Amino acid sequence: MTLIILLAIASGMALSAQAAINGQLGAKVGVIESSLLTFSMGTVITGLLIFFFEPSYDSTLLTVPKWQLAGALFGILYMIVMVAAVPKVGVAIATVATILGQMMMSLVIDTQGWLGNAPIELNYWRIAAMVCIGCALVCIYLANGQTQSVLETSAATENIINPTKEPQHVS
């Protein structure tokens, strides 16, 4: 159990790095092209993993209930939104906002036992966890606003002190 949690944390760290990298790439070549690269690489690597390591199962992608294939669409939505959001709001806000959304939906799925999952009772600890994530998002948002104000003030001061210098653009 501890190993799986550590692996989940590591995969979350990888997602943040991926968001930062893809955000920069998307700003240079376009959101859709950056997403296409990610999914193309993912297809090739996953295909190789299936070919060499995947055991056989009774069901195939053609025989499972079709609603279960919809999960792939959510991955596309996530990728495109993150590639577009990271250059505008930063990795931390985009990631924590995603985690808050995941937490909200996961609590509904767990509590209601949706999508074939066993119901898990909603309790104060789970609600407190979601509130903490919401607070984290607010704190990071406010911190980013203060940083932006400092950068804008610094750029304005530099222009007053040295008016012949080209103005710096702070985004």
Side-chain angles (χ1 to χ4, degrees), residues 66-141:
K66 298 308 173 220
W67 68 267
Q68 291 178 346
L69 302 177
L73 298 175
F74 295 126
I76 296 167
L77 174 65
Y78 167 78
M79 176 63 64
I80 290 173
V81 169
M82 288 300 282
V83 171
V86 165
K88 292 176 177 49
V89 299
V91 177
I93 287 180
T95 300
V96 175
T98 299
I99 293 169
L100 180 60
Q102 287 176 315
M103 189 72 179
M104 292 166 63
M105 192 64 192
S106 68
L107 289 179
V108 171
I109 291 169
D110 279 353
T111 304
Q112 301 301 313
W114 286 357
L115 306 171
N117 292 287
I120 299 173
E121 184 179 336
L122 183 64
N123 59 40
Y124 293 113
W125 289 110
R126 289 172 155 249
I127 293 170
M130 188 169 63
V131 169
C132 287
I133 294 169
C135 289
L137 179 60
V138 169
C139 289
I140 293 169
Y141 177 81

Side-chain angles (χ1 to χ4, degrees):
M1 178 75 116
T2 303
L3 178 60
I4 227 38
I5 292 171
L6 291 174
L7 288 172
I9 291 169
S11 72
M13 294 169 72
L15 277 177
S16 291
Q18 178 193 27
I21 293 166
N22 284 353
Q24 291 298 311
L25 181 63
K28 291 184 174 98
V29 302
V31 171
I32 306 298
E33 285 186 45
S34 174
S35 298
L36 176 64
L37 174 66
T38 298
F39 287 115
S40 297
M41 291 292 295
T43 299
V44 170
I45 291 170
T46 304
L48 291 170
L49 289 172
I50 289 170
F51 185 75
F52 289 108
F53 299 107
E54 187 75 59
S56 63
Y57 290 90
D58 294 335
S59 297
T60 68
L61 290 176
L62 301 174
T63 62
V64 297
K66 298 308 173 220
W67 68 267
Q68 291 178 346
L69 302 177
L73 298 175
F74 295 126
I76 296 167
L77 174 65
Y78 167 78
M79 176 63 64
I80 290 173
V81 169
M82 288 300 282
V83 171
V86 165
K88 292 176 177 49
V89 299
V91 177
I93 287 180
T95 300
V96 175
T98 299
I99 293 169
L100 180 60
Q102 287 176 315
M103 189 72 179
M104 292 166 63
M105 192 64 192
S106 68
L107 289 179
V108 171
I109 291 169
D110 279 353
T111 304
Q112 301 301 313
W114 286 357
L115 306 171
N117 292 287
I120 299 173
E121 184 179 336
L122 183 64
N123 59 40
Y124 293 113
W125 289 110
R126 289 172 155 249
I127 293 170
M130 188 169 63
V131 169
C132 287
I133 294 169
C135 289
L137 179 60
V138 169
C139 289
I140 293 169
Y141 177 81
L142 292 174
N144 280 9
Q146 289 175 349
T147 302
Q148 186 69 22
S149 296
V150 169
L151 291 174
E152 289 171 354
T153 303
S154 173
T157 304
E158 178 64 29
N159 288 337
I160 291 169
I161 294 170
N162 190 0
T164 59
K165 187 176 176 181
E166 282 291 317
Q168 294 179 352
H169 298 285
V170 178
S171 55

